[in-house]
Amino acid sequence: MRRAIVAVVAGLLVLTGCDRSEGPGKTPASAFHHQLSADVSGEYRPVGEGAGVWRVDSLFIGQAEAFQAWEAGGRSAPPLILTLTGPSGTSRVTPDAYDVTDDNLRFSGRAANGEKVTVQARLDQGALATARRNLGDQTPVITGSASVAGQRIPLSLGRWGGD
């Protein structure tokens, strides 16, 4: 009888661990995934001017350690930060979920006003290598779209080398 109780308790603990949620938004840890063989970290800014109610100001991508810490439950330094300007001003969007690979980036979060924000984009490794060699190069490295409050925002971001 004692073995049966121990087995049931152990099984419940395993199931509870599988359903564990992280952080204030109660997002399951499995909502975060990265698989990067190269360093894509840096700040990316628009190539050209944006138009519309919402505008992407920048996208920050952290180093591998930031992704690993976030996926392990640490929430002090987000590995992705999308900065938007909209009707209510500037908003920093941190991830509710992401999937980042060498070639693709999918990311979702919430703007300051609570609006859902999603990003689906392609990372061009060749353009990134060129941008690193040629500081200030305006070659688009990340292309795709963001969506805020149902509005699609085309993305064409170059790696920013600083002022």
Side-chain angles (χ1 to χ4, degrees):
M1 179 70 168
R2 187 174 200 187
R3 281 187 180 171
I5 292 173
V6 169
V8 168
V9 170
L12 289 173
L13 288 174
V14 167
L15 289 174
T16 303
C18 290
D19 194 32
R20 197 178 98 211
S21 295
E22 300 290 344
K26 303 295 184 200
T27 303
S30 61
F32 304 105
H33 177 261
H34 84 284
Q35 186 172 355
L36 295 167
S37 62
D39 180 18
V40 297
S41 65
E43 185 169 352
Y44 297 86
R45 292 193 177 176
V47 176
E49 292 295 317
V53 175
W54 291 93
R55 183 182 76 232
V56 172
D57 294 328
S58 68
L59 172 64
F60 168 79
I61 301 177
Q63 295 183 330
E65 295 81 15
F67 283 98
Q68 292 162 354
W70 195 267
E71 291 163 18
R75 297 293 187 261
S76 61
L80 296 166
I81 302 171
L82 181 69
T83 305
L84 299 167
T85 299
S88 302
T90 300
S91 182
R92 286 177 37 139
V93 180
T94 58
D96 289 340
Y98 63 75
D99 185 15
V100 180
T101 65
D102 290 333
D103 301 316
N104 293 295
L105 179 138
R106 290 188 182 100
F107 162 66
S108 67
R110 299 246 172 227
N113 63 358
E115 293 284 357
K116 183 175 176 139
V117 177
T118 59
V119 173
Q120 292 191 1
R122 182 181 175 288
L123 287 104
D124 184 329
Q125 292 293 327
L128 177 57
T130 299
R132 284 191 170 137
R133 280 191 308 272
N134 305 321
L135 292 178
D137 187 83
Q138 291 294 305
T139 302
V141 174
I142 298 175
T143 55
S145 65
S147 177
V148 183
Q151 178 186 349
R152 184 181 173 279
I153 307 164
L155 290 180
S156 182
L157 307 173
R159 187 168 188 276
W160 187 66
D163 289 332

